[in-house]
């Protein structure tokens, strides 16, 4: 040991089985050497932890696309990430020398990379003065000579000095400019359209509209500025079209985010000024909704002119009407007479009958019943084809109708040794429909099932309800149908065998069509058949026409063209 030496060093020793860091200080004493040791283990651990955090922080900053530079309290560069060097195209070797903030600005100015300044010295002094600002450090946008636009943010560094953040916003601002230019092009294009077009956001506020939209509805363009809502615009259009339900439906399609509402929808409007418009609502990808109006007044006038010349069709309609009236009288009246006298004979009014006579009389009653049912089906089909059938909509209990139908057909089923079962879902509730026609539909389905079932068979009447439909069906275990027979099952005067005219299923399809529903058929040869009828339950103003309106539309589609003396009146 050199007794003249003084030592101030850090040594690592093991104390009670633990590795400790000791700061050892040796100094001279009279006649020898003295020493002291201080335990600095915790201090070293804290320093190592801090070093790791600083390194992790630096690594994080190096992964940013924004340039970061940290200057110490002495205004020298303490840290920079790789994005900073790339943005300013500076050499790493020069940056490693820790230049001052002022030197960095001077170098950038020399290379013509700073924004042009009329008084560079004053601007430079202002940049360096931020070291004395306590708070409220400003943000700037620098437009560089090469066309780039940088956002410059400043903030205090915890160890003193400044942290500068440089964000390249060139692409963002360029895209924004292109977007604004595109909007202007769209506005210019829309103004050239003859259709009136308006775009409403999901909040119901007007975003875009063209000149034709203002012209079609005679609107005040000054009132269609920023902030105008659909309610405001609709209020201005009410004098020309006062149907508030339609406007409420259109508003629902604009503001309702549900998939059911976000569907393309169209309709026709007859304005109080006798103009006819077709409107269209179409959802856009950004959540907005396009509302377009096309003036079809001229087209409607041409259509009415063509209708005026449809005298042959009107004559055919009159012939069909006369045919229905003649059939109704010529067939039903004598049939009722025959059936009435047969029932009197069966009741014994004219004396007791022998057993053989009763059997023959039963055959007469059965035949007259079938003939009466057939005549009624023929008349119903003729009325439907003529577009003259009216539905009486009420609240209908499908389960009750099926139970009544099963009870009425039970004697016939017992005679044929066929079992009738019910499979009706609990809590079915009611649907809107024509009770008589739905009951007639159920009767036709059961009659058809019994007709094609053998002894020992089973006929099941069922009903269930889902979110938007109510369904009832009839299943049999009879002979089933081939694919060819299924294709013709719903056609008039077609039958699966020689036991009927094949009108039952044709009427079923027509009645369901008039209700806005549909029919499905499942069958396999030898495995029976299932006919299922579906009725809509969720049609309303906000989702489409009501059941009654839909039935009227379908009836109108089957009806002949109106006479020329009739004309539409504006919606009230």
């Amino acid at each position: 040991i050199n007794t003249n030496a003084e030592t101030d060093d850090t040594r690592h020793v093991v104390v009670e089985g633990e590795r400790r860091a000791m700061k050892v200080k040796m100094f001279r004493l009279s006649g020898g050497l003295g020493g002291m040791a201080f335990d600095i283990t915790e201090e070293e651990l804290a320093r190592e932890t801090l070093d790791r955090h600083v390194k992790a922080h630096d690594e994080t900053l190096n992964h940013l696309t924004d340039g970061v530079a940290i200057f110490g309290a002495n205004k020298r560069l303490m840290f920079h990430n790789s994005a900073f060097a790339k943005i300013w195209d500076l050499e790493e070797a020069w940056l490693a020398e820790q230049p001052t903030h002022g030197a960095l600005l001077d170098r950038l100015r020399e290379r013509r990379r700073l924004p042009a300044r009329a008084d560079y010295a004053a601007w430079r002094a202002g940049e360096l003065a931020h070291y004395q600002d306590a708070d409220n450090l400003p943000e700037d946008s620098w437009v560089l000579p090469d066309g780039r636009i940088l956002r410059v943010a400043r903030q205090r560094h915890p160890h003193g000095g400044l942290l500068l953040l440089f964000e390249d916003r060139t692409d963002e601002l360029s895209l924004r400019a292109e977007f604004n230019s595109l909007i202007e092009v769209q506005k210019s294009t829309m103004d050239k359209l003859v259709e009136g077009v308006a775009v409403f956001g999901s909040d119901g506020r007007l975003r875009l509209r063209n000149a034709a939209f203002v012209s079609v509805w005679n609107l005040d363009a000054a009132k269609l500025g920023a902030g105008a809502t659909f309610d405001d615009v609709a209020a201005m259009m009410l004098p020309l079209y006062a149907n508030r339900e339609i406007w409420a439906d259109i508003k629902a399609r604009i503001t309702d985010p549900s998939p059911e509402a976000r569907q393309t929808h169209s309709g026709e409007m007859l304005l109080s000024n006798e103009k006819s418009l077709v409107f269209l609502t179409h959802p856009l990808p950004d959540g907005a909704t396009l509302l377009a109006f096309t003036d079809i007044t001229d087209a409607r006038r041409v259509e009415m002119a063509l209708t005026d010349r449809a005298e042959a069709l009107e004559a055919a309609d009159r012939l069909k009407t006369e045919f229905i009236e003649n059939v109704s009288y010529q067939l039903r009246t004598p049939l009722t007479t025959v059936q009435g006298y047969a029932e009197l004979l069966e009741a014994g009014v004219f004396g007791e009958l022998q057993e053989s006579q009763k059997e023959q009389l039963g055959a007469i009653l059965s035949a007259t019943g079938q003939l009466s049912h057939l005549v009624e089906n023929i008349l119903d089909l003729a009325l439907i084809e003529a577009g003259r059938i009216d539905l009486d909509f009420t609240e209908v209990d499908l389960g009750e109708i099926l139970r009544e139908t099963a009870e009425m057909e039970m004697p016939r089923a017992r005679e044929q040794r066929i079992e009738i079962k019910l499979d009706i879902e609990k809590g079915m509730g009611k649907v809107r429909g024509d009770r008589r026609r739905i009951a007639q539909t159920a009767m036709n389905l059961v009659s058809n099932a019994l007709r094609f079932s053998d002894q020992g068979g089973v006929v099941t009447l069922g009903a269930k309800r889902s979110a938007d439909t109510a369904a009832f069906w009839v299943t049999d275990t009879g002979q089933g149908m081939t694919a060819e027979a299924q294709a013709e099952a719903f056609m008039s005067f077609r039958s699966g065998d020689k036991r009927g005219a094949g009108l039952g299923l044709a009427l079923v399809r027509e009645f369901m069509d008039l209700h806005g529903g549909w029919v499905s058929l499942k069958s396999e040869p030898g495995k029976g058949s299932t006919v299922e009828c579906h009725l809509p339950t969720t049609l309303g103003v906000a989702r489409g026409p009501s059941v009654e309106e839909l039935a009227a539309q379908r009836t109108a589609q089957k009806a002949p063209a109106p006479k020329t003396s009739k004309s539409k009146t504006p919606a009230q």
Side-chain angles (χ1 to χ4, degrees), residues 255-277:
T255 58
D256 189 347
S258 65
E260 293 81 6
R262 300 289 293 169
Q263 299 290 333
T264 299
H265 175 69
S266 63
E268 187 173 338
M269 296 176 170
L270 182 61
L271 308 189
S272 59
N273 59 6
E274 297 186 355
K275 284 188 176 182
S276 295
L277 300 182

Side-chain angles (χ1 to χ4, degrees), residues 134-160:
D135 48 20
N136 297 326
L137 294 174
E139 287 190 6
D140 293 333
S141 288
W142 290 2
V143 181
L144 306 186
D146 60 5
R148 289 181 297 163
I149 302 174
L150 301 183
R151 181 179 74 92
V152 183
R154 306 171 180 85
Q155 70 179 49
R156 283 287 176 195
H157 193 266
H159 298 298

Side-chain angles (χ1 to χ4, degrees), residues 214-263:
V214 177
S215 175
V216 166
W217 290 100
N218 296 330
L219 300 177
D220 184 354
K223 296 181 180 180
L224 298 178
T229 65
F230 178 82
D231 289 335
D232 299 332
V233 178
M236 289 187 278
M237 296 190 286
L238 281 175
L240 288 180
Y241 190 73
N243 192 327
R244 296 179 182 273
E245 292 184 352
I246 296 298
W247 293 125
D249 178 42
I250 294 175
K251 180 181 179 181
R253 295 181 182 278
I254 291 173
T255 58
D256 189 347
S258 65
E260 293 81 6
R262 300 289 293 169
Q263 299 290 333

Side-chain angles (χ1 to χ4, degrees), residues 102-328:
L104 175 65
L105 295 177
D106 293 339
R107 192 176 186 89
L108 293 177
R109 180 170 181 264
E110 291 171 3
R111 298 188 176 186
R112 300 181 58 81
R113 291 174 189 161
L114 287 179
R117 304 294 180 185
D119 190 347
Y120 170 73
W123 177 80
R124 180 179 183 276
E127 286 293 316
L128 298 179
H130 291 315
Y131 286 87
Q132 281 74 47
D133 295 340
D135 48 20
N136 297 326
L137 294 174
E139 287 190 6
D140 293 333
S141 288
W142 290 2
V143 181
L144 306 186
D146 60 5
R148 289 181 297 163
I149 302 174
L150 301 183
R151 181 179 74 92
V152 183
R154 306 171 180 85
Q155 70 179 49
R156 283 287 176 195
H157 193 266
H159 298 298
L162 287 179
L163 183 147
L164 300 183
L165 177 70
F166 299 90
E167 178 189 1
D168 190 342
R169 302 186 62 190
T170 308
D171 293 339
E172 176 188 346
L173 296 176
S174 176
L175 288 174
R176 182 177 299 175
E178 290 180 8
F179 175 76
N180 291 334
S181 175
L182 179 61
I183 292 297
E184 293 301 321
V185 170
Q186 288 179 341
K187 289 181 179 179
S188 178
T189 303
M190 287 174 59
D191 281 336
K192 301 300 181 183
L193 298 176
V194 295
E195 294 85 359
V197 177
V199 176
F200 291 88
S202 58
D203 58 355
R205 295 191 178 277
L206 181 64
R207 290 187 181 178
L208 294 173
R209 48 86 179 171
N210 66 351
F213 178 76
V214 177
S215 175
V216 166
W217 290 100
N218 296 330
L219 300 177
D220 184 354
K223 296 181 180 180
L224 298 178
T229 65
F230 178 82
D231 289 335
D232 299 332
V233 178
M236 289 187 278
M237 296 190 286
L238 281 175
L240 288 180
Y241 190 73
N243 192 327
R244 296 179 182 273
E245 292 184 352
I246 296 298
W247 293 125
D249 178 42
I250 294 175
K251 180 181 179 181
R253 295 181 182 278
I254 291 173
T255 58
D256 189 347
S258 65
E260 293 81 6
R262 300 289 293 169
Q263 299 290 333
T264 299
H265 175 69
S266 63
E268 187 173 338
M269 296 176 170
L270 182 61
L271 308 189
S272 59
N273 59 6
E274 297 186 355
K275 284 188 176 182
S276 295
L277 300 182
V278 169
F279 71 89
L280 171 75
T281 63
H282 182 73
L284 301 178
D286 63 349
T289 302
L290 181 143
L291 178 59
F293 297 92
T294 303
D295 189 340
I296 60 167
T297 306
D298 293 338
R300 284 289 176 262
R301 288 172 180 169
V302 172
E303 182 180 334
M304 292 182 66
L306 293 175
T307 304
D308 289 341
R309 300 179 182 180
E311 296 178 357
L313 293 177
E314 292 182 12
D317 179 55
R318 287 195 297 271
L319 289 175
K320 184 179 291 186
T321 302
E322 292 172 1
F323 168 77
I324 294 172
E325 292 174 351
N326 289 332
V327 168
S328 177

Side-chain angles (χ1 to χ4, degrees), residues 392-410 420-425 428-447 460-464 470-474 508 511-512 515 533 535:
D392 181 17
F393 283 91
T394 59
E395 296 294 325
V396 177
D397 188 333
L398 291 179
E400 181 182 346
I401 290 176
L402 293 182
R403 284 187 284 269
E404 291 177 358
T405 303
E407 184 177 351
M408 292 176 62
E409 291 291 336
M410 194 64 72
I420 293 182
K421 293 183 177 180
L422 293 174
D423 180 19
I424 302 172
E425 184 182 72
M428 274 287 297
K430 296 183 178 182
V431 298
R432 288 194 62 76
D434 187 319
R435 193 183 195 285
R436 178 189 168 206
R437 298 306 182 183
I438 294 177
Q440 187 176 350
T441 298
M443 185 69 71
N444 282 338
L445 291 179
V446 176
S447 176
T460 303
L461 287 72
K464 63 182 178 180
F472 64 96
W473 66 88
V474 174
V508 167
F511 286 151
M512 289 300 101
H515 279 80
C533 299
L535 293 170

Side-chain angles (χ1 to χ4, degrees), residues 305-358:
L306 293 175
T307 304
D308 289 341
R309 300 179 182 180
E311 296 178 357
L313 293 177
E314 292 182 12
D317 179 55
R318 287 195 297 271
L319 289 175
K320 184 179 291 186
T321 302
E322 292 172 1
F323 168 77
I324 294 172
E325 292 174 351
N326 289 332
V327 168
S328 177
Y329 178 78
Q330 298 295 338
L331 284 181
R332 300 183 77 172
T333 300
L335 182 62
T336 301
T337 302
V338 172
Q339 190 171 10
Y341 278 113
E343 289 174 351
L344 289 175
L345 290 172
E346 184 183 38
V349 174
F350 303 108
E352 288 293 327
L353 299 178
Q354 299 177 3
E355 290 299 323
S356 60
Q357 292 174 327
K358 289 181 180 180

